[in-house]
Amino acid sequence: MNRLRHAEPPWPVAADVVAREAAGWVPAPLHSFVLKVHSRCDLACQYCYMYRAQDRSWREQPRTMAPETVDRTAGRIAEHLAAHGLREAGVVLHGGEPLLAGEAALRRTASVLRAAAGPGVQLHLALQTNGVRLTERWLDLCAEHGIRVSVSLDGDRAAHDRHRRGADGRGSHARVAGAVGRLSDGPHRPLFAGLLCTIDLRNDPVRCYEHLLTYRPPAVDFLLPQGNWHTPPPGLGPGTPYADWLWRVFERWYGAGQRETRVRLLEDMMALLLGGTPETEALGVAPVRYAVVETDGSLAQDDTLRTAYHGAARTGLHVRRDSFDALLRHPGVAARQWGVDGLSAQCRGCRLQRVCGGGHYAHRYRAATGFANPSVYCADLAALITRVRGRLAADLDRLRAAAAEAA
């Protein structure tokens, strides 16, 4: 395979980090940790950023995180939390497909993480799964260790099975829907964290959303397909097709007579427009505060950077010899803590910068200029933000008018 040739971003470099620290910048400590407990998957999803992107380093990773790597990672997390006086943090057991690690390994991992953090730290454990193997036995194990569960589900059978199939070409919807049903309706309902749905423009947005609602999810995360300026996402332009798709979801969700679920992308957008703080780091310019640990113990940047070029997520750091504080000072991680200063010149001059935040970091990549660009979804994000802002402004005007009349 010919790997994509790329130019390193014009910024940041190590000297930039040193200069900013000298000028008074203090890194925001990490509060979320993604552990790649298994580096293979039992599905072959067509849009997968792990196994179908520019980066093939997963082939070099051990399939399962070894016990000694789990122990060292748990110690590093505890060290970081203690150093910064943090009493709460989240850990996501991730993959590949984490359930492939097996019951014994995940049970041990959860126990080691909690023991290392100690009783003074509230450690929120979560599991991100494709749902194919999520049996009652697995749910019992998650309940035993207080592990909340999120499942990837792209809509009804036709929508889901278009992409999320096994290596044999067989769709996975029936198995995943059964697993989500067990999670939603049984005694393990408190473990249900939400559903992740990757947008496909061919799917009717309202029908997709309403199918997900049948499982009564506490939250739904609609994900833009991974893409960048070198490898654009499917169906992008002309016009703003992803904004149009999400706007129809917004109208259905926002216009409901009662709150049916959370749609975090839309809630974060509204919060930022109203001067609040988003819950996730998908929008806005708040410091990025999560780390990824590969199965071999390597410390990595956001693994969606694999869609840019081979090795894009690598940092050269490892839990065996490096602290998470060292990761915070890696140029690629540090730049995502610099707020507006970490954006491209075009984004810094945009009136929507503090809402959009430049878009997802991986979506900014262009071979000639690295990540110093707006998101490939720039037009769609701007269109959606503008429409949502208009709707909120109109509703606020009506409320003010009603209040004035009542007075």
Side-chain angles (χ1 to χ4, degrees):
M1 171 183 174
N2 291 325
R3 287 173 178 159
L4 175 64
R5 298 181 65 185
H6 66 93
E8 291 295 339
W11 56 263
V13 294
D16 294 331
V17 179
V18 173
R20 284 185 176 271
E21 283 204 278
W25 170 65
V26 178
L30 303 169
H31 59 35
S32 299
F33 305 85
V34 179
L35 273 57
K36 297 286 185 175
V37 295
H38 201 281
S39 66
R40 302 296 189 273
C41 192
D42 47 1
L43 290 181
C45 302
Q46 293 177 348
Y47 53 61
C48 182
Y49 66 81
M50 280 288 293
Y51 308 113
R52 292 178 178 261
Q54 301 291 340
D55 190 292
R56 300 294 186 186
S57 60
W58 61 270
R59 298 178 185 274
E60 305 161 15
Q61 289 289 337
R63 288 179 176 268
T64 306
M65 186 176 280
E68 55 268 26
T69 304
V70 173
D71 295 347
R72 190 58 176 153
T73 301
R76 288 294 190 190
I77 291 173
E79 169 190 75
H80 187 76
L81 299 179
H84 295 280
L86 299 179
R87 294 291 176 261
E88 187 172 5
V91 178
V92 181
L93 307 179
H94 209 280
E97 172 49 49
L99 298 187
L100 287 173
E103 294 179 17
L106 288 192
R107 180 179 286 110
R108 182 185 184 279
T109 298
S111 298
V112 167
L113 287 166
R114 291 201 185 281
V121 174
Q122 188 176 8
L123 201 62
H124 303 285
L125 298 184
L127 178 80
Q128 176 57 49
T129 176
N130 62 33
V132 169
R133 296 172 181 264
L134 191 61
T135 61
E136 285 288 347
R137 184 180 175 111
W138 270 113
L139 290 173
D140 288 341
L141 184 151
C142 289
E144 177 186 349
H145 291 277
I147 303 172
R148 300 194 73 207
V149 181
S150 294
V151 182
S152 296
L153 181 64
D154 285 350
D156 61 18
R157 182 186 297 272
H160 182 91
D161 285 350
R162 184 180 296 120
H163 299 290
R164 302 189 66 80
R165 305 174 184 171
D168 59 0
R170 187 164 62 101
S172 62
H173 185 269
R175 289 170 288 169
V176 177
V180 178
R182 285 189 290 274
L183 181 58
S184 174
D185 296 330
H188 299 305
R189 169 79 190 178
L191 301 177
F192 196 6
L195 297 174
L196 272 67
C197 175
T198 299
I199 296 169
D200 186 327
L201 296 174
R202 291 170 290 183
N203 299 332
D204 180 88
V206 174
R207 178 176 176 180
C208 179
Y209 172 66
E210 290 182 342
H211 179 81
L212 299 179
L213 282 181
T214 64
Y215 301 98
R216 300 185 299 118
V220 173
D221 288 313
F222 285 108
L223 308 178
L224 293 167
Q226 293 301 325
N228 53 55
W229 293 102
H230 178 83
T231 309
L236 190 69
T240 54
Y242 286 93
D244 298 343
W245 200 96
L246 283 165
W247 175 247
R248 289 189 60 198
V249 173
F250 177 85
E251 288 188 306
R252 168 63 181 81
W253 168 75
Y254 183 78
Q258 58 184 4
R259 180 170 172 172
E260 296 165 308
T261 189
R262 303 184 62 196
V263 179
R264 281 188 280 223
L265 176 66
L266 301 177
E267 286 190 354
D268 282 355
M269 189 173 291
M270 290 172 57
L272 286 160
L273 285 166
L274 295 171
T277 303
E279 180 180 298
T280 70
E281 293 157 332
L283 295 171
V285 291
V288 169
R289 299 178 60 188
Y290 63 87
V292 177
V293 184
E294 302 282 8
T295 52
D296 68 350
S298 300
L299 300 181
Q301 300 184 68
D302 190 324
D303 55 358
T304 59
L305 296 183
R306 296 170 185 272
T307 57
Y309 57 85
H310 185 75
R314 291 177 177 171
T315 65
L317 304 175
H318 196 283
V319 292
R320 184 174 59 251
R321 60 180 180 272
D322 300 299
S323 69
F324 283 111
D325 272 13
L327 180 67
L328 286 172
R329 289 167 174 82
H330 180 277
V333 176
R336 300 177 70 187
Q337 291 215 346
W338 293 343
V340 173
D341 289 344
L343 302 180
S344 68
Q346 182 177 336
C347 291
R348 291 198 300 272
C350 177
R351 60 190 175 82
L352 300 178
Q353 58 173 240
R354 294 193 176 277
V355 179
C356 170
H360 194 295
Y361 200 70
H363 299 167
R364 305 176 196 177
Y365 181 74
R366 191 190 293 267
T369 49
F371 298 97
N373 309 287
S375 167
V376 72
Y377 289 105
C378 178
D380 289 88
L381 290 170
L384 183 62
I385 292 168
T386 301
R387 291 178 197 176
V388 172
R389 182 176 60 187
R391 179 64 182 274
L392 293 179
D395 286 352
L396 288 172
D397 286 344
R398 280 193 290 271
L399 288 173
R400 292 190 191 102
E405 285 185 14

